[in-house]
Amino acid sequence: MFGLNYHHIRNDYALNLLDVKINLRAYKHIKFKTSILENIINAKEIGEKTFEIYVPRQIFYKAINVEFELYHLRSKIQLNDFYLSKNISESWKFTTFYYFFFFTNVALHRLLNRGYIYLDQASAHNLSSTLNVFFPYVTKLGSGNWSFRKIAETTSTVTIELKKVGSNVHQLVWQDLILTIKHFITKTSTKLSDPEKSILDNIYNNIKNRQNFSPSETRNYLNYVSEVALEEINNKILCPQNKIENFLKNLSSFSYSDNLLSKINLSIIIGQYLFILNKKIIEDLQEREKNQFKLLNKDKKKYIS
């Protein structure tokens, strides 16, 4: 199930992390937001509340490495909880699963050098002060969510686009994932029989143009709507705890219908694919460098592998 697109992700993104050396103590102190915003060496405004910032390459990839690893570990913990949650309500099972989905999605996009950060008032003030060093005018930013994405790099510097965005990050990362899956398809083999292409085509065909579906909205319904209690006592909700090793079987037998069970199942299938992809990247890099991802190596609780 891994082909040309996987090679694209590994070669263009994951292998950059092999240059990063991080000791275990550093994981506590390397925060993506502060690592980037406190090490801006140049900046320019390219649009309304949109900036290009320049940061040292080594600092950028250290922060990406730590965030990717931490979010993957969080997804493992959440998936472990999901499989252990046999005696709780079906709606809460899905809520548990949803956060596995969310962490896995965020981890993948960190690896792809993009995502979102939240700036509180203090962080926004600090960013404004930094930008004002480089601009001939005064910039004053407020709190809120910002998207970031790497747009260029040299041997020493990474250029990042920083842009103010809306408030619903859960929906934003879902819309990003739809575009990411679509982009992945363009990197697959042109052979119709290619397994990787078939998997990505299947997932994308199930999610494109479905305005009434998103995993976070399904979570919101099950987590917050009072009438869900009636569906629970009448056994109208089912959140299957499908094993990840059955992913291909689950995907090939899935057919979308516009109902709650279908939305739950599709969310589970997509989450499993993302986790398998992230796990494959980690295994690939650790085969090249056994000390890569020291925090995952240190995990003694043996969460889902």
Side-chain angles (χ1 to χ4, degrees):
M1 60 182 286
F2 299 109
L4 293 180
N5 175 64
Y6 172 78
H7 295 152
H8 156 68
I9 298 169
R10 183 194 64 195
N11 296 344
D12 287 7
Y13 297 97
L15 292 182
N16 288 326
L17 303 185
L18 288 176
D19 296 332
V20 171
K21 305 302 178 188
I22 309 171
N23 61 55
L24 279 171
R25 292 180 181 178
Y27 282 83
K28 197 177 222 181
H29 306 289
I30 298 176
K31 313 291 185 186
F32 184 84
K33 181 172 69 176
T34 53
S35 293
I36 300 307
L37 299 186
E38 292 179 0
N39 290 282
I40 297 174
I41 56 178
N42 201 354
K44 62 182 177 179
E45 188 170 19
I46 58 174
E48 184 179 1
K49 295 183 179 179
T50 306
F51 306 95
E52 282 184 5
I53 60 173
Y54 302 79
V55 299
R57 185 180 186 277
Q58 189 73 3
I59 288 175
F60 176 79
Y61 281 115
K62 274 189 177 182
I64 287 291
N65 188 106
V66 168
E67 290 259 304
F68 171 65
E69 193 170 353
L70 288 173
Y71 275 113
H72 181 71
L73 182 55
R74 290 211 67 179
S75 71
K76 288 176 66 176
I77 293 168
Q78 204 68 26
L79 187 61
N80 189 70
D81 287 348
F82 175 67
Y83 285 142
L84 292 175
S85 61
K86 299 186 184 302
N87 298 319
I88 63 174
S89 68
E90 299 297 307
S91 57
W92 195 248
K93 282 180 186 176
F94 183 78
T95 300
T96 303
F97 181 87
Y98 172 75
Y99 285 100
F100 157 78
F101 177 97
F102 178 74
F103 295 142
T104 304
N105 189 13
V106 172
L108 173 63
H109 283 88
R110 286 294 196 267
L111 179 70
L112 299 175
N113 302 157
R114 59 186 189 266
Y116 299 90
I117 56 175
Y118 176 77
L119 302 187
D120 57 18
Q121 287 289 353
S123 298
H125 173 76
N126 290 339
L127 176 59
S128 299
S129 299
T130 300
L131 294 178
N132 289 333
V133 172
F134 303 107
F135 298 164
Y137 48 85
V138 175
T139 296
K140 187 175 182 180
L141 305 174
S143 62
N145 293 308
W146 291 73
S147 68
F148 73 87
R149 67 183 182 95
K150 185 190 79 174
I151 56 177
E153 71 177 284
T154 67
T155 56
S156 60
T157 307
V158 168
T159 307
I160 303 168
E161 179 193 79
L162 197 61
K163 183 177 182 178
K164 188 77 179 288
V165 294
S167 59
N168 192 338
V169 169
H170 288 266
Q171 279 297 94
L172 289 171
V173 296
W174 167 243
Q175 293 302 320
D176 283 353
L177 179 60
I178 295 174
L179 295 176
T180 295
I181 296 294
K182 183 179 181 180
H183 177 69
F184 282 175
I185 292 171
T186 68
K187 298 294 184 179
T188 60
S189 169
T190 55
K191 296 179 181 178
L192 296 178
S193 60
D194 179 65
E196 182 182 48
K197 178 177 173 56
S198 297
I199 289 169
L200 289 166
D201 279 340
N202 194 331
I203 292 174
Y204 184 68
N205 288 334
N206 276 301
I207 60 179
K208 69 178 181 180
N209 301 323
R210 297 204 190 278
Q211 301 299 320
N212 61 342
F213 167 71
S214 82
S216 69
E217 290 302 309
T218 303
R219 182 280 313 260
N220 285 344
Y221 173 76
L222 290 171
N223 201 28
Y224 298 120
V225 175
S226 60
E227 290 81 1
V228 167
L230 296 175
E231 298 182 54
E232 283 281 11
I233 64 175
N234 290 317
N235 297 317
K236 296 292 182 65
I237 302 173
L238 176 63
C239 182
Q241 293 169 294
N242 298 328
K243 296 296 184 183
I244 282 188
E245 52 264 32
N246 295 327
F247 162 74
L248 290 175
K249 178 181 177 182
N250 297 335
L251 176 63
S252 62
S253 62
F254 178 78
S255 178
Y256 186 85
S257 300
D258 190 16
N259 58 51
L260 181 60
L261 180 59
S262 215
K263 292 174 181 179
I264 290 172
N265 275 295
L266 181 54
S267 300
I268 290 173
I269 288 169
I270 299 169
Q272 290 178 336
Y273 171 75
L274 299 179
F275 185 81
I276 291 169
L277 178 57
N278 289 344
K279 183 171 178 282
K280 174 65 175 173
I281 287 290
I282 288 166
E283 291 171 346
D284 198 328
L285 294 194
Q286 288 184 325
E287 285 180 3
R288 297 162 187 264
E289 172 52 68
K290 65 179 181 180
N291 291 320
Q292 189 74 26
F293 304 120
K294 290 186 175 69
L295 193 63
L296 291 174
N297 289 337
K298 187 177 182 290
D299 173 25
K300 303 300 183 184
K301 292 191 176 181
K302 302 301 179 186
Y303 291 111
I304 301 298
S305 62

